[in-house]
Amino acid sequence: MPELPEVETIARGLRTKIVGKTIARVQVRLAKVAVAPAGVDFSRTLAGERIVGVARRGKYVVLGLASGRSLVTSLRMTGRLLVGDGGGSPHPYTHVTLCFGDGDRLAFADVRQFGRMRLVGPGEAWDAALGVEPLGGDFTPERFIGMLAGRTTPIKAFLLDQRRIAGVGNIYACEALWKARIRPGTPAKSLTKRAIRRLHRSLVDVLNRAIDLRGSSVDDYVDADGRKGGFQNVLSVYGRLGEPCDRCGRPIVRTVLGQRGTWWCRGCQR
DNA sequence: CCGCCGCCCTGCTTGC
DNA sequence: TGCAAGCAGGGCGGCG
């Protein structure tokens, strides 16, 4: 499931491939995944647009268009953005295809149909409800301490709340908490400043390391080239039920917290 | 504002 | 062996 490092990898891959290309036509096979403002036709509006940039915000891939509009893609769990020349057989769950003037195509495919491609207008504050970028300069240890003050919610649930910190999903929340030696269920407000600083460091380190390794391919994630990531080979807890903890040797457990599977070590996460 | 819950959807796993 | 039920999960809207 694509989280910040996977989406960053996808965005970087797309940037080298599609910036500068002009959209000639758009095929929408599953209407509900292609979202546009009221009165705006998704396909007709995109036709003729030129791609001027590819960015990431939280877990969203943002294609910047020459008109000032943006095409914002949420991949959710199983969404993929794939570039090709249309020569090979298309991904069987392709819902939207952008056909460029030079014959290349950008396909949005998603088995579970949870992902969305959303066309937003110039200056539209589509990300107003999204929280701070964890790898941006705004996310300081002191700010993190302030964010957690008085919050009763379990720290792991807080990390997953996109309105607070944008881009952290289940894999990296579990990994960062393990690295910081913090129990996932700890109420946010009861963490010491020292522990919060440790968690801040762990979160930034885990995300950067995962980007270096081009993300984690846990289920079927692949980047814009169809390549798998490498972080799944260095996971400490995620998906490792029963395996010995790398730090203390106790078997990794799986519990459910906020309706999400949570992997952690009872031995060394306090 | 905050926390909690159900829904969306399909493929895989589990159980009879 | 075959089939149905259960489960997983990110974001969003609704509720208290």
Side-chain angles (χ1 to χ4, degrees), chain A residues 161-210:
Chain A
D161 187 344
Q162 302 300 297
R163 296 167 301 180
R164 309 295 162 188
I165 301 172
V168 180
N170 209 16
I171 296 174
Y172 299 105
C174 289
E175 293 296 308
L177 287 166
W178 178 84
K179 197 170 189 208
R181 306 191 305 278
I182 295 169
R183 291 173 82 101
T186 310
K189 67 177 184 181
S190 62
L191 290 172
T192 63
K193 288 185 180 180
R194 188 186 162 101
I196 298 172
R197 288 199 179 89
R198 218 162 55 227
L199 180 56
H200 180 276
R201 174 93 239 157
S202 300
L203 194 54
V204 170
D205 285 351
V206 163
L207 293 173
N208 277 323
R209 177 96 197 281

Short mmCIF file of all heavy atoms in Angstrom, two decimals, chain A residues 161-210:
data_model
loop_
_atom_site.label_atom_id
_atom_site.label_comp_id
_atom_site.label_asym_id
_atom_site.label_seq_id
_atom_site.Cartn_x
_atom_site.Cartn_y
_atom_site.Cartn_z
N ASP A 161 -3.22 9.65 11.34
CA ASP A 161 -4.21 10.69 11.05
C ASP A 161 -3.62 11.71 10.07
O ASP A 161 -2.77 12.52 10.43
CB ASP A 161 -4.62 11.37 12.36
CG ASP A 161 -5.77 12.35 12.16
OD1 ASP A 161 -6.06 12.74 11.01
OD2 ASP A 161 -6.39 12.73 13.17
N GLN A 162 -4.12 11.68 8.84
CA GLN A 162 -3.54 12.52 7.78
C GLN A 162 -3.78 14.01 8.01
O GLN A 162 -3.13 14.84 7.40
CB GLN A 162 -4.11 12.11 6.42
CG GLN A 162 -3.87 10.66 6.07
CD GLN A 162 -2.39 10.31 6.02
OE1 GLN A 162 -1.65 10.84 5.20
NE2 GLN A 162 -1.92 9.42 6.90
N ARG A 163 -4.71 14.34 8.90
CA ARG A 163 -4.95 15.76 9.20
C ARG A 163 -3.85 16.33 10.07
O ARG A 163 -3.73 17.54 10.24
CB ARG A 163 -6.30 15.92 9.90
CG ARG A 163 -7.49 15.52 9.04
CD ARG A 163 -8.74 15.41 9.88
NE ARG A 163 -8.58 14.43 10.95
CZ ARG A 163 -9.52 14.12 11.84
NH1 ARG A 163 -10.67 14.73 11.79
NH2 ARG A 163 -9.28 13.20 12.76
N ARG A 164 -3.07 15.45 10.70
CA ARG A 164 -1.98 15.88 11.59
C ARG A 164 -0.64 15.83 10.88
O ARG A 164 0.05 16.81 10.75
CB ARG A 164 -1.94 14.98 12.83
CG ARG A 164 -3.26 14.84 13.53
CD ARG A 164 -3.71 16.16 14.11
NE ARG A 164 -5.15 16.13 14.39
CZ ARG A 164 -5.83 17.19 14.75
NH1 ARG A 164 -5.24 18.36 14.87
NH2 ARG A 164 -7.11 17.11 14.97
N ILE A 165 -0.29 14.62 10.44
CA ILE A 165 0.95 14.42 9.70
C ILE A 165 0.54 13.73 8.40
O ILE A 165 -0.18 12.74 8.43
CB ILE A 165 1.94 13.53 10.49
CG1 ILE A 165 2.27 14.18 11.83
CG2 ILE A 165 3.20 13.30 9.67
CD1 ILE A 165 3.09 13.28 12.75
N ALA A 166 0.99 14.25 7.28
CA ALA A 166 0.54 13.74 5.98
C ALA A 166 1.53 12.75 5.40
O ALA A 166 2.71 13.08 5.23
CB ALA A 166 0.33 14.90 5.01
N GLY A 167 1.05 11.55 5.14
CA GLY A 167 1.88 10.60 4.39
C GLY A 167 2.25 9.33 5.13
O GLY A 167 2.69 8.37 4.51
N VAL A 168 2.10 9.33 6.46
CA VAL A 168 2.48 8.15 7.24
C VAL A 168 1.33 7.14 7.21
O VAL A 168 0.20 7.48 7.52
CB VAL A 168 2.81 8.51 8.70
CG1 VAL A 168 3.19 7.27 9.48
CG2 VAL A 168 3.92 9.54 8.75
N GLY A 169 1.61 5.92 6.83
CA GLY A 169 0.63 4.85 6.84
C GLY A 169 1.04 3.76 7.81
O GLY A 169 1.95 3.93 8.63
N ASN A 170 0.37 2.63 7.70
CA ASN A 170 0.52 1.57 8.69
C ASN A 170 1.95 1.02 8.80
O ASN A 170 2.46 0.80 9.88
CB ASN A 170 -0.45 0.44 8.34
CG ASN A 170 -0.90 -0.33 9.56
OD1 ASN A 170 -0.74 0.13 10.70
ND2 ASN A 170 -1.44 -1.51 9.35
N ILE A 171 2.59 0.82 7.65
CA ILE A 171 3.94 0.25 7.68
C ILE A 171 4.90 1.14 8.46
O ILE A 171 5.58 0.70 9.39
CB ILE A 171 4.49 0.06 6.24
CG1 ILE A 171 3.64 -0.94 5.46
CG2 ILE A 171 5.96 -0.39 6.28
CD1 ILE A 171 4.04 -1.07 4.00
N TYR A 172 4.93 2.42 8.08
CA TYR A 172 5.96 3.30 8.65
C TYR A 172 5.61 3.75 10.06
O TYR A 172 6.51 4.08 10.84
CB TYR A 172 6.24 4.46 7.69
CG TYR A 172 6.75 3.90 6.38
CD1 TYR A 172 5.94 3.87 5.25
CD2 TYR A 172 7.99 3.29 6.32
CE1 TYR A 172 6.39 3.28 4.08
CE2 TYR A 172 8.45 2.70 5.15
CZ TYR A 172 7.64 2.69 4.03
OH TYR A 172 8.07 2.10 2.88
N ALA A 173 4.31 3.75 10.41
CA ALA A 173 3.93 4.02 11.80
C ALA A 173 4.47 2.89 12.69
O ALA A 173 5.09 3.14 13.72
CB ALA A 173 2.42 4.14 11.93
N CYS A 174 4.24 1.64 12.27
CA CYS A 174 4.74 0.50 13.05
C CYS A 174 6.26 0.53 13.16
O CYS A 174 6.82 0.33 14.24
CB CYS A 174 4.31 -0.82 12.41
SG CYS A 174 2.55 -1.20 12.54
N GLU A 175 6.92 0.78 12.05
CA GLU A 175 8.39 0.75 12.04
C GLU A 175 9.00 1.87 12.89
O GLU A 175 9.97 1.65 13.62
CB GLU A 175 8.89 0.86 10.59
CG GLU A 175 8.55 -0.36 9.74
CD GLU A 175 9.24 -1.64 10.24
OE1 GLU A 175 10.47 -1.62 10.42
OE2 GLU A 175 8.52 -2.65 10.45
N ALA A 176 8.41 3.07 12.79
CA ALA A 176 8.95 4.20 13.55
C ALA A 176 8.75 4.00 15.05
O ALA A 176 9.64 4.31 15.85
CB ALA A 176 8.29 5.51 13.11
N LEU A 177 7.59 3.43 15.44
CA LEU A 177 7.35 3.19 16.86
C LEU A 177 8.30 2.13 17.41
O LEU A 177 8.78 2.23 18.53
CB LEU A 177 5.89 2.77 17.08
CG LEU A 177 4.89 3.92 16.93
CD1 LEU A 177 3.46 3.39 16.80
CD2 LEU A 177 4.99 4.88 18.11
N TRP A 178 8.58 1.11 16.60
CA TRP A 178 9.55 0.10 17.03
C TRP A 178 10.92 0.73 17.22
O TRP A 178 11.58 0.55 18.23
CB TRP A 178 9.64 -1.04 16.01
CG TRP A 178 10.65 -2.07 16.42
CD1 TRP A 178 10.45 -3.13 17.27
CD2 TRP A 178 12.03 -2.13 16.01
NE1 TRP A 178 11.62 -3.84 17.42
CE2 TRP A 178 12.61 -3.24 16.66
CE3 TRP A 178 12.83 -1.36 15.17
CZ2 TRP A 178 13.95 -3.61 16.49
CZ3 TRP A 178 14.17 -1.71 15.00
CH2 TRP A 178 14.71 -2.82 15.66
N LYS A 179 11.32 1.53 16.25
CA LYS A 179 12.65 2.14 16.31
C LYS A 179 12.78 3.05 17.53
O LYS A 179 13.84 3.13 18.15
CB LYS A 179 12.91 2.92 15.02
CG LYS A 179 14.37 3.23 14.82
CD LYS A 179 14.67 3.77 13.43
CE LYS A 179 16.19 3.85 13.26
NZ LYS A 179 16.59 4.90 12.32
N ALA A 180 11.67 3.73 17.88
CA ALA A 180 11.70 4.64 19.03
C ALA A 180 11.40 3.93 20.34
O ALA A 180 11.38 4.56 21.39
CB ALA A 180 10.69 5.77 18.81
N ARG A 181 11.16 2.62 20.28
CA ARG A 181 10.89 1.79 21.46
C ARG A 181 9.65 2.27 22.23
O ARG A 181 9.63 2.33 23.46
CB ARG A 181 12.11 1.76 22.40
CG ARG A 181 13.40 1.32 21.70
CD ARG A 181 14.50 1.02 22.69
NE ARG A 181 14.79 2.13 23.59
CZ ARG A 181 15.55 3.18 23.28
NH1 ARG A 181 16.11 3.28 22.09
NH2 ARG A 181 15.76 4.13 24.16
N ILE A 182 8.60 2.61 21.47
CA ILE A 182 7.36 3.09 22.09
C ILE A 182 6.21 2.14 21.76
O ILE A 182 6.05 1.71 20.61
CB ILE A 182 7.02 4.51 21.54
CG1 ILE A 182 8.10 5.50 22.00
CG2 ILE A 182 5.64 4.96 21.99
CD1 ILE A 182 8.02 6.85 21.30
N ARG A 183 5.41 1.83 22.77
CA ARG A 183 4.23 0.98 22.56
C ARG A 183 3.20 1.72 21.71
O ARG A 183 2.87 2.87 22.02
CB ARG A 183 3.58 0.63 23.90
CG ARG A 183 4.38 -0.29 24.78
CD ARG A 183 3.69 -0.40 26.15
NE ARG A 183 2.62 -1.38 26.09
CZ ARG A 183 2.74 -2.62 26.56
NH1 ARG A 183 3.87 -3.02 27.11
NH2 ARG A 183 1.74 -3.45 26.47
N PRO A 184 2.64 1.05 20.71
CA PRO A 184 1.69 1.73 19.80
C PRO A 184 0.46 2.29 20.51
O PRO A 184 -0.12 3.29 20.07
CB PRO A 184 1.30 0.62 18.82
CG PRO A 184 2.42 -0.35 18.87
CD PRO A 184 2.95 -0.31 20.26
N GLY A 185 0.03 1.64 21.60
CA GLY A 185 -1.19 2.07 22.27
C GLY A 185 -1.01 3.19 23.28
O GLY A 185 -1.99 3.64 23.88
N THR A 186 0.19 3.66 23.47
CA THR A 186 0.43 4.71 24.45
C THR A 186 -0.37 5.97 24.11
O THR A 186 -0.30 6.46 22.99
CB THR A 186 1.93 5.11 24.46
OG1 THR A 186 2.72 3.93 24.57
CG2 THR A 186 2.25 6.05 25.59
N PRO A 187 -1.16 6.50 25.07
CA PRO A 187 -1.85 7.76 24.80
C PRO A 187 -0.83 8.85 24.46
O PRO A 187 0.19 8.98 25.14
CB PRO A 187 -2.56 8.08 26.12
CG PRO A 187 -2.67 6.75 26.82
CD PRO A 187 -1.46 5.97 26.40
N ALA A 188 -1.11 9.61 23.40
CA ALA A 188 -0.13 10.58 22.91
C ALA A 188 0.34 11.52 24.01
O ALA A 188 1.53 11.82 24.13
CB ALA A 188 -0.74 11.38 21.76
N LYS A 189 -0.59 11.95 24.87
CA LYS A 189 -0.23 12.97 25.86
C LYS A 189 0.67 12.44 26.97
O LYS A 189 1.26 13.22 27.70
CB LYS A 189 -1.50 13.56 26.48
CG LYS A 189 -2.29 12.59 27.34
CD LYS A 189 -3.48 13.31 27.98
CE LYS A 189 -4.22 12.37 28.91
NZ LYS A 189 -5.38 13.03 29.52
N SER A 190 0.74 11.11 27.09
CA SER A 190 1.56 10.58 28.18
C SER A 190 2.99 10.25 27.75
O SER A 190 3.77 9.74 28.54
CB SER A 190 0.88 9.35 28.81
OG SER A 190 0.77 8.32 27.86
N LEU A 191 3.34 10.57 26.52
CA LEU A 191 4.73 10.40 26.08
C LEU A 191 5.59 11.52 26.66
O LEU A 191 5.17 12.68 26.67
CB LEU A 191 4.82 10.43 24.55
CG LEU A 191 4.24 9.23 23.79
CD1 LEU A 191 4.22 9.53 22.30
CD2 LEU A 191 5.03 7.97 24.08
N THR A 192 6.77 11.17 27.11
CA THR A 192 7.68 12.21 27.59
C THR A 192 8.25 12.97 26.40
O THR A 192 8.25 12.49 25.27
CB THR A 192 8.85 11.58 28.37
OG1 THR A 192 9.60 10.75 27.47
CG2 THR A 192 8.36 10.74 29.53
N LYS A 193 8.74 14.17 26.68
CA LYS A 193 9.36 14.96 25.60
C LYS A 193 10.53 14.19 24.99
O LYS A 193 10.75 14.25 23.78
CB LYS A 193 9.84 16.31 26.15
CG LYS A 193 8.71 17.25 26.46
CD LYS A 193 9.20 18.63 26.88
CE LYS A 193 8.02 19.54 27.17
NZ LYS A 193 8.44 20.88 27.58
N ARG A 194 11.23 13.52 25.84
CA ARG A 194 12.37 12.72 25.37
C ARG A 194 11.91 11.65 24.39
O ARG A 194 12.53 11.44 23.34
CB ARG A 194 13.02 12.10 26.61
CG ARG A 194 14.31 11.40 26.39
CD ARG A 194 14.70 10.73 27.73
NE ARG A 194 15.70 9.69 27.50
CZ ARG A 194 17.00 9.87 27.74
NH1 ARG A 194 17.44 11.03 28.17
NH2 ARG A 194 17.85 8.89 27.52
N ALA A 195 10.80 10.97 24.73
CA ALA A 195 10.27 9.92 23.85
C ALA A 195 9.75 10.52 22.54
O ALA A 195 9.93 9.94 21.47
CB ALA A 195 9.16 9.16 24.57
N ILE A 196 9.12 11.68 22.62
CA ILE A 196 8.60 12.33 21.41
C ILE A 196 9.75 12.73 20.49
O ILE A 196 9.67 12.56 19.27
CB ILE A 196 7.74 13.55 21.76
CG1 ILE A 196 6.51 13.11 22.58
CG2 ILE A 196 7.29 14.28 20.50
CD1 ILE A 196 5.70 14.25 23.15
N ARG A 197 10.83 13.22 21.07
CA ARG A 197 12.01 13.56 20.24
C ARG A 197 12.57 12.31 19.57
O ARG A 197 12.98 12.34 18.42
CB ARG A 197 13.09 14.23 21.10
CG ARG A 197 12.73 15.63 21.52
CD ARG A 197 13.96 16.43 21.95
NE ARG A 197 13.55 17.79 22.31
CZ ARG A 197 13.18 18.14 23.54
NH1 ARG A 197 13.19 17.24 24.51
NH2 ARG A 197 12.80 19.38 23.78
N ARG A 198 12.57 11.22 20.32
CA ARG A 198 13.07 9.95 19.76
C ARG A 198 12.17 9.50 18.60
O ARG A 198 12.64 9.04 17.57
CB ARG A 198 13.06 8.90 20.87
CG ARG A 198 14.24 7.95 20.86
CD ARG A 198 14.38 7.25 22.19
NE ARG A 198 13.16 6.56 22.59
CZ ARG A 198 12.63 6.64 23.81
NH1 ARG A 198 13.20 7.38 24.75
NH2 ARG A 198 11.53 5.97 24.10
N LEU A 199 10.86 9.65 18.81
CA LEU A 199 9.91 9.23 17.77
C LEU A 199 10.05 10.12 16.53
O LEU A 199 9.96 9.64 15.40
CB LEU A 199 8.49 9.28 18.32
CG LEU A 199 7.38 8.87 17.35
CD1 LEU A 199 7.61 7.47 16.80
CD2 LEU A 199 6.01 8.94 18.06
N HIS A 200 10.23 11.40 16.74
CA HIS A 200 10.43 12.33 15.63
C HIS A 200 11.61 11.89 14.78
O HIS A 200 11.53 11.76 13.56
CB HIS A 200 10.65 13.74 16.18
CG HIS A 200 10.86 14.77 15.11
ND1 HIS A 200 12.09 15.01 14.53
CD2 HIS A 200 9.99 15.63 14.52
CE1 HIS A 200 11.96 15.97 13.63
NE2 HIS A 200 10.70 16.36 13.60
N ARG A 201 12.71 11.63 15.45
CA ARG A 201 13.95 11.19 14.79
C ARG A 201 13.70 9.87 14.03
O ARG A 201 14.11 9.70 12.88
CB ARG A 201 15.01 10.99 15.87
CG ARG A 201 16.30 10.42 15.42
CD ARG A 201 17.26 11.54 15.08
NE ARG A 201 17.65 11.42 13.70
CZ ARG A 201 18.11 12.41 12.95
NH1 ARG A 201 18.21 13.62 13.45
NH2 ARG A 201 18.47 12.21 11.73
N SER A 202 13.02 8.93 14.70
CA SER A 202 12.78 7.62 14.10
C SER A 202 11.90 7.73 12.86
O SER A 202 12.15 7.08 11.85
CB SER A 202 12.09 6.70 15.11
OG SER A 202 12.89 6.52 16.25
N LEU A 203 10.87 8.56 12.96
CA LEU A 203 9.95 8.73 11.84
C LEU A 203 10.69 9.29 10.62
O LEU A 203 10.58 8.76 9.50
CB LEU A 203 8.83 9.68 12.27
CG LEU A 203 7.58 9.77 11.41
CD1 LEU A 203 6.98 8.39 11.19
CD2 LEU A 203 6.57 10.69 12.08
N VAL A 204 11.45 10.33 10.84
CA VAL A 204 12.19 10.96 9.74
C VAL A 204 13.21 9.97 9.16
O VAL A 204 13.34 9.84 7.94
CB VAL A 204 12.89 12.25 10.24
CG1 VAL A 204 13.85 12.79 9.19
CG2 VAL A 204 11.84 13.30 10.61
N ASP A 205 13.90 9.27 10.04
CA ASP A 205 14.91 8.30 9.58
C ASP A 205 14.28 7.18 8.75
O ASP A 205 14.78 6.80 7.70
CB ASP A 205 15.65 7.68 10.77
CG ASP A 205 16.65 8.64 11.39
OD1 ASP A 205 16.88 9.72 10.79
OD2 ASP A 205 17.19 8.32 12.46
N VAL A 206 13.18 6.62 9.27
CA VAL A 206 12.52 5.50 8.59
C VAL A 206 12.01 5.93 7.21
O VAL A 206 12.18 5.23 6.22
CB VAL A 206 11.38 4.94 9.47
CG1 VAL A 206 10.42 4.09 8.67
CG2 VAL A 206 11.96 4.13 10.63
N LEU A 207 11.39 7.12 7.16
CA LEU A 207 10.86 7.59 5.87
C LEU A 207 11.98 7.85 4.87
O LEU A 207 11.89 7.48 3.69
CB LEU A 207 10.03 8.86 6.08
CG LEU A 207 8.72 8.67 6.86
CD1 LEU A 207 8.07 10.02 7.16
CD2 LEU A 207 7.74 7.77 6.10
N ASN A 208 13.06 8.47 5.32
CA ASN A 208 14.18 8.75 4.42
C ASN A 208 14.84 7.46 3.93
O ASN A 208 15.19 7.34 2.76
CB ASN A 208 15.22 9.64 5.10
CG ASN A 208 14.84 11.11 5.02
OD1 ASN A 208 14.31 11.57 4.01
ND2 ASN A 208 15.11 11.85 6.08
N ARG A 209 15.01 6.52 4.85
CA ARG A 209 15.62 5.25 4.46
C ARG A 209 14.76 4.52 3.43
O ARG A 209 15.26 3.95 2.46
CB ARG A 209 15.79 4.38 5.72
CG ARG A 209 16.35 3.00 5.47
CD ARG A 209 17.84 2.97 5.69
NE ARG A 209 18.47 1.80 5.08
CZ ARG A 209 18.47 0.58 5.62
NH1 ARG A 209 17.87 0.38 6.78
NH2 ARG A 209 19.06 -0.43 5.00
N ALA A 210 13.43 4.60 3.66
CA ALA A 210 12.51 3.92 2.73
C ALA A 210 12.54 4.58 1.35
O ALA A 210 12.46 3.90 0.33
CB ALA A 210 11.10 3.92 3.30
#
